[in-house]
């Protein structure tokens, strides 16, 4: 990969000096951004110059504006000869697609550009209509877009700009074949941007195939969770996790809380328990319809419910201002998930807390995570919580290995997962989704 650009402390600059169009600058001021974030000041000049970019940055860094602002600029600079889509953004989840669309609509409020989304789980006819009318910018999940393209919807013959957002997540979700199929129908002469929190080998291979001498822009340490987030681990037996969550929510008066569950059923269980004790809770996971998800998000955003329980995949793209706490009810099975999860709080300039519950079975995952982020996470004890309450759930007790506590004591070598090429950024803990 050419021209790696690693910025510990990028140059301080203003939006005005980045060379953006006055109508875009006006919109940026109106949405309240006063100065560019590090990834914006690093990426925008290259993108305006037409360079391909690999952006290694976690969510919460302002990466969406980093690619959408120069994209809008370039679309504004060139008047199209015909009605073809000129910018295509592929993202892993419907929520992220909608989030990107909302950002683009805000930044393009003074520009005569048409924006459309193409996502699964909702009726396709409005999407087909939008494609027929011609959209300058399409934001899509790969599956539905491929489906529509296979039926000859959309005109991408004039495409100038392709963005793959959260590429590692699209890989995880099995979208790579669909992405390759889509790419086969796109013009080769274009600017290609790829954003990813990590760079697994498959993604590196993809970048070599689809980009031209890309510049790599990496903001901060690859795995560094946002500095504005205070992290704490609560070591807790499995059967007490629900009680501890209820205790923290009641005792510490946590206000806007995003709770992560590893599974859909787990998420429902948590919500049921909290509802039982009078804490209104919304859930968002793959078994919920698009309408139910939107409703859960808007109730959470408006403050009607103060707790949102989500699975990792469903939570992608959740962008809610002022999440005060992220609770990892289930310890993240995967180090990158931890970074993504806690990046939901402490967004942009505000601060937040991330609490992670770790059972004795999570010992190895805790150790792997601390190695991944390069520091140990302080342990917390909840005041007034009964840690010795017996297990009344009737669940079979797991035999504990001698000395297995949640606190990691010694490093153990990573285990290889035979199903996947080895990736040094992956936790040694196997995935369970
Ligand atoms: P992202 O990493 O793109 O998900 O953005 C995270 C959050 O930061 C979003 O809520 C953006 O609206 C916000 N944001 C992006 N750029 C800026 C900026 N320059 N100043 C303040 N907030 C920003």
């Amino acid at each position: 990969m050419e021209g790696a650009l690693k910025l510990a402390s990028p140059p301080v600059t203003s939006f005005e000096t980045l060379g953006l169009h006055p109508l875009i600058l006006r919109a940026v001021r109106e949405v309240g951004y006063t100065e560019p974030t590090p990834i914006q000041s690093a990426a925008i000049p290259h993108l305006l110059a037409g360079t391909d970019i690999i952006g290694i940055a976690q969510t919460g860094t302002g990466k969406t504006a980093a690619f959408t602002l120069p994209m809008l600029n370039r679309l504004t600079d060139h008047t199209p000869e015909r009605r073809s889509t000129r910018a295509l953004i592929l993202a892993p989840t419907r929520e992220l697609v909608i989030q990107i669309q909302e950002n683009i609509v805000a930044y393009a409020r003074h520009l005569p550009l048409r924006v459309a989304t193409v996502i699964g789980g909702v009726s396709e006819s409005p999407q087909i209509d939008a494609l027929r009318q011609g959209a300058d910018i399409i934001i899509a999940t790969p599956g539905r877009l491929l489906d529509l393209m296979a039926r000859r919807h959309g005109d991408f013959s004039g495409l100038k700009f392709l963005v793959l957002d959260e590429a590692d997540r699209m890989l995880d979700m099995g979208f790579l074949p669909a992405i390759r199929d889509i790419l086969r129908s796109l013009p080769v002469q274009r600017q290609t941007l790829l954003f990813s929190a990590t760079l697994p080998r498959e993604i590196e291979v993809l970048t070599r195939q689809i980009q031209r001498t890309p510049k790599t822009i990496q903001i901060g340490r690859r795995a560094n969770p946002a500095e504005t987030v205070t992290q704490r681990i609560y070591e807790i037996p499995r059967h007490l996790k629900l009680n501890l969550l209820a205790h923290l929510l009641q005792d510490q008066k946590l206000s806007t809380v995003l709770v992560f569950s590893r599974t859909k059923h787990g998420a429902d269980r948590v919500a049921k328990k909290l509802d039982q004790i009078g804490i209104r809770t919304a859930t968002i996971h793959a078994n919920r319809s698009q309408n139910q998800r939107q409703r859960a998000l808007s109730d959470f955003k408006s403050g009607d419910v103060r707790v949102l329980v989500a699975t990792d995949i469903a939570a992608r793209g959740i962008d809610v201002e002022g999440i005060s706490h992220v609770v990892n009810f289930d310890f993240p099975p995967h180090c990158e998930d931890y970074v993504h999860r806690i990046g939901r709080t402490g967004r942009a300039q505000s601060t937040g807390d991330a609490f992670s519950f770790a059972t004795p079975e999570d010992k190895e995952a805790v150790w792997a995570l601390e190695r991944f982020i390069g520091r140990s996470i302080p342990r917390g004890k909840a005041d007034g919580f009964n840690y010795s309450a017996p297990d009344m759930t009737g669940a079979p007790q797991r035999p504990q290995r001698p000395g297995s506590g949640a606190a990691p004591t010694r490093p153990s070598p990573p285990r290889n997962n035979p199903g996947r090429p080895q990736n040094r950024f992956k936790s040694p803990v196997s995935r369970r989704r």
Side-chain angles (χ1 to χ4, degrees), residues 15 28 31-37 39-40 58-67 69 96 99 103 107 165-166 318-321 343-344 347-349:
F15 279 112
V28 164
V31 293
Y33 301 168
T34 48
E35 59 182 46
T37 65
I39 191 159
Q40 290 162 5
Q58 60 201 79
T59 67
T61 52
K63 70 182 167 66
T64 314
F67 67 80
L69 296 177
L96 185 56
Q99 191 60 54
N103 283 344
Y107 307 145
D165 195 17
E166 304 209 348
I318 291 180
D319 183 22
V320 179
E321 294 285 326
R344 303 287 140 190
R347 315 264 293 171
Q349 275 82 15

Side-chain angles (χ1 to χ4, degrees), residues 1 6 56 197-202 204 216 218 221-223 334-336 367-374 413-417 420-429 431:
M1 221 167 295
K6 298 191 180 173
I56 302 175
T198 60
L199 214 50
R201 199 185 57 85
E202 295 95 321
E204 277 194 48
T216 301
Q218 182 177 336
R221 287 190 56 239
R222 196 180 300 241
H334 213 49
C335 295
E336 298 94 323
W367 169 73
L369 175 67
E370 291 182 320
R371 188 182 55 163
F372 182 71
I373 64 172
R415 270 185 257 126
N416 287 348
N417 178 347
R420 291 170 65 89
Q422 210 193 335
N423 170 1
R424 69 196 173 93
F425 300 112
K426 297 273 188 263
S427 143
V429 182
R431 275 160 194 244

Side-chain angles (χ1 to χ4, degrees), residues 5 10 72 78 110 170 189 248 257 336 356 391:
L5 194 67
L72 293 173
H78 301 100
H110 304 300
M170 291 204 278
Q189 288 289 341
L248 290 173
V257 188
E336 298 94 323
S356 303
D391 185 356

